[in-house]
Amino acid sequence: MTRASSLRSCSSSTESQCHPPCDLRKVIKCKAAVLWDQKKPFSIEEIEVAPPKTKEVRIKILATGICRTDDHVIKGTMVSKFPVIVGHEATGIVESIGEGVTTVKPGDKVIPLFLPQCRECNACRNPDGNLCIRSDITGLGVLADGTTRFTCKGKPVYHFMNTSTFTEYTVVDESSVAKIDDTAPPEKVCLIGCGFSTGYGAAVKTGKVKPGSTCVVFGLGGVGLSVIMGCKSAGASRIIGIDLNKDKFEKAMAVGATECISPKDSTKPISEVLSEMTGNNVGYTFEVIGRLDTMIDALASCHMNYGTSVVVGAPPSAKMLTYDPMLLFTGRTWKGCVFGGLKSRDDVPKLVTEFLAKKFDLDQLITHVLPFKQINEGFELLNSGQRRIEKNEDTVENFVLDGDTKPRGAGPAEQLE
């Protein structure tokens, strides 16, 4: 078992020892959590990771997390090929690069990006766009050349959302990686790879919350807490958190909510409750659950003429939503966002810098720690809502679970000899 001190000592100054020059690049054997099929547990396997091809980057994962999206693959509600290595929220070190890579080099600390930024397609070139044409939202499971870099037991293993971070090493396209400050703690800034950025960006970039406004956040999990942090950063004077689970209220207040309520506490529709609470002055609402009924509730809860409602939670697949068009006719704005509307390669390094400057506190999003070998237990916690903390000081890196018991955190606990 490798100690943390030795793993985190790799840097550009030790590149010759830790990062082989291009002509010495070869297949790496390492551990990974492989999903062989839907509704099956993860299997810790020895896999082979091929060298990066042209415009590709091979990354040693230092810290990774579990998002609800990963669980969708297990349950079969998100399209994926099998076997697959999921995971899309991580921090790592560049181990080697393919020909033509210019934005990162071996030894750089990086965050893999499930939402690429090619800087060439219409979405990337538009100042208001971010859904890059290279995004793998249909479950292709391969890199740009149409092939995978993973094999296990002689079979190809597919990629997930351009990243695949439940492994000691992964390969991504250059458009799916952002160089970050070398001093950033990997077990914390990995949250910026998905959950934090999605929520924070929804408030500051998509919603464009104005100073002095009143905001309402539906769903107080990790992403919901990040929305609250974004609203606070934007200068909102009143931030109301809504959740059925009152155990989440304390954490929501700690990150910036001014008050929290449960819909169970009133027989009135939540939109009426909020109107009475605020004098009919809710400027922004954010749905961070992914339920059709709460999407309508959130829309109805913002001001009928100038309110803005943002859909942050991923909606269920193959479902249709029915609503009263008068909700929009009167002037409301209804918006959705992916990754908070942020441009990944441009904005992720900036968010890391802001974190280091203590503009926001990612510690507030971390409540659980588990060693990598207990990844299946991490998903059990995700689905059961347990709120206990486990920490194994002998492991190199750990899973860290955030405020809605979504595991966030670290990569493999042991290295193959």
Side-chain angles (χ1 to χ4, degrees), residues 112-382:
L113 307 168
F114 77 87
L115 186 69
Q117 186 185 352
C118 71
R119 297 179 173 144
E120 298 172 354
C121 69
N122 288 340
C124 286
R125 291 167 63 89
N126 189 299
D128 295 323
N130 76 331
L131 190 57
C132 179
I133 195 172
R134 297 186 183 180
S135 303
D136 183 12
I137 57 177
T138 58
L140 293 176
V142 292
L143 297 186
D145 72 343
T147 64
T148 174
R149 301 293 166 269
F150 303 126
T151 56
C152 181
K153 300 179 181 178
K155 297 180 180 180
V157 178
Y158 291 99
H159 296 252
F160 178 66
M161 295 183 71
N162 305 99
T163 48
S164 292
T165 61
F166 292 169
T167 171
E168 290 181 307
Y169 288 87
T170 191
V171 178
V172 303
D173 291 311
E174 184 181 17
S175 60
S176 293
V177 63
K179 183 181 182 302
I180 63 172
D181 193 302
D182 285 340
T183 64
E187 73 283 358
K188 296 181 183 180
V189 298
C190 67
L191 303 179
I192 294 175
C194 179
F196 174 77
S197 299
T198 296
Y200 192 83
V204 302
K205 181 69 181 288
T206 302
K208 295 181 172 59
V209 170
K210 295 179 181 178
S213 59
T214 295
C215 300
V216 177
V217 180
F218 289 74
L220 302 179
V223 180
L225 295 179
S226 300
V227 173
I228 291 174
M229 294 163 75
C231 292
K232 180 180 179 181
S233 176
S237 60
R238 193 172 183 183
I239 306 170
I240 303 171
I242 298 179
D243 205 292
L244 295 174
N245 184 357
K246 293 185 178 182
D247 290 341
K248 297 180 179 181
F249 290 179
E250 181 179 358
K251 180 73 73 171
M253 299 287 286
V255 301
T258 54
E259 57 215 288
C260 295
I261 60 174
S262 169
K264 291 181 178 180
D265 290 340
S266 175
T267 58
K268 296 180 181 178
I270 191 65
S271 58
E272 291 186 19
V273 173
L274 290 167
S275 179
E276 293 173 0
M277 285 177 62
T278 65
N280 191 30
N281 192 33
V282 176
Y284 304 88
T285 61
F286 299 86
E287 201 280 350
V288 203
I289 303 169
R291 291 178 55 91
L292 300 185
D293 54 348
T294 48
M295 290 177 188
I296 299 298
D297 287 340
L299 177 63
S301 296
C302 67
H303 192 276
M304 64 183 298
N305 181 236
Y306 56 77
T308 295
S309 186
V310 181
V311 176
V312 186
S317 60
K319 296 290 184 181
M320 299 298 291
L321 184 150
T322 302
Y323 67 96
D324 182 353
M326 284 300 293
L327 290 172
L328 294 179
F329 180 75
T330 55
R332 291 181 178 91
T333 299
W334 204 6
K335 308 177 75 173
C337 65
V338 176
F339 199 57
L342 301 174
K343 290 185 180 292
S344 56
R345 292 168 78 188
D346 292 343
D347 291 325
V348 162
K350 295 176 184 177
L351 287 175
V352 171
T353 299
E354 290 177 2
F355 165 73
L356 294 174
K358 302 186 184 305
K359 186 173 180 179
F360 48 82
D361 182 11
L362 294 176
D363 285 338
Q364 296 288 348
L365 304 180
I366 299 171
T367 62
H368 294 71
V369 178
L370 290 172
F372 179 70
K373 62 186 178 182
Q374 293 179 244
I375 183 171
N376 287 305
E377 184 176 340
F379 276 88
E380 290 172 5
L381 285 168
L382 168 68

